[in-house]
Amino acid sequence: MPTPLTTAAPTAPLDRHSLRRPVVRAVVVVALLVLIGFLLRAHPVDEPLARILNAAHTGTVAAVGSAVYAAFEPVPAVLLTVALTALVRIRTRRVATAVAFAGTVALTWIPSDLLKLVVGRPRPDGSVLPHPFVPVQPDPSFPSGHAVFVTALLLAVLALVPPGRRRRAIAVVGGLGVLFVVLALAVDGVHWPSDLAASVVWALAVAPVARTVWTTGVVDPLARRLEQTGRHRVRKEDRP
């Protein structure tokens, strides 16, 4: 029987003081990303790199890149999250842990669209790429929702695994997976290389705050309340 993932006990109520540092760090990082996004929108300094990477979009490389892009479109990404959430529930035997996992992914991934709307950076210009992406994507480019999603997924998994050799191995393999997706999207020409780097930075900054707020502020209090309600019902049913 496989060893289950860690099933940490419900945490203490939300400690605003201990949360202050990661929140401040996330706010600073997001503000810097907004500033960098505006600068890159006006001066796409990574255009030469985008052309070099997109030149590799031929044959098998092109097929793999297109497959990666399709695999992490919103609908498949949601289905993958649901499937992994169910797996976490089975392995840990705790609904709260599974809900915390799903919430971490969602609260890291979905808000990145706000950064897209604020920055409004256009997608790479097909006229300057050897193999422009088809069909042209209408939404802004900075950051990449695909890259944010896979990074958030890895961070949510790592949060379930206790420190040690196993966690380091998952981090290395998962990091290589994120790098593979990032390179595939860059070769596709669907994002600027800097969009993809910003996506990873966003996830690294936002995921810890998203998980802490979601678990200690929502999931754990709800789990405790449900547990207390269940005990109350049991005591009531035990009365003669």
Side-chain angles (χ1 to χ4, degrees), residues 111-214:
S112 66
D113 275 351
L114 296 176
L115 183 58
K116 276 179 178 271
L117 295 176
V118 169
V119 173
R121 186 186 191 187
R123 298 277 180 160
D125 186 355
S127 65
V128 303
L129 296 178
H131 308 284
F133 189 84
V134 179
V136 176
Q137 301 301 295
D139 59 319
S141 188
F142 184 98
S144 161
H146 287 59
V148 170
F149 172 75
V150 294
T151 308
L153 206 60
L154 172 60
L155 295 174
V157 169
L158 290 175
L160 298 174
V161 184
R165 184 178 301 175
R166 185 184 182 197
R167 186 177 185 179
R168 289 194 295 270
I170 293 174
V172 170
V173 174
L176 291 174
V178 170
L179 179 60
F180 175 77
V181 172
V182 164
L183 288 175
L185 297 174
V187 169
D188 276 345
V190 70
H191 281 286
W192 300 98
S194 54
D195 299 340
L196 301 164
S199 306
V200 175
V201 172
W202 166 281
L204 289 172
V206 173
V209 177
R211 177 172 175 80
T212 300
V213 171
W214 176 244

Side-chain angles (χ1 to χ4, degrees), residues 2 33 54 61 66 92 112 142 146 187 197 211 216 220:
L33 287 176
N54 183 243
V61 173
S66 298
T92 64
S112 66
F142 184 98
H146 287 59
V187 169
R211 177 172 175 80
T216 61
D220 287 345

Side-chain angles (χ1 to χ4, degrees), residues 1 4 83-95 98:
M1 181 176 181
L84 291 177
T85 300
L87 180 61
V88 170
R89 168 65 180 88
I90 293 170
R91 292 291 302 274
T92 64
R93 300 184 180 89
R94 290 194 70 235
V95 174

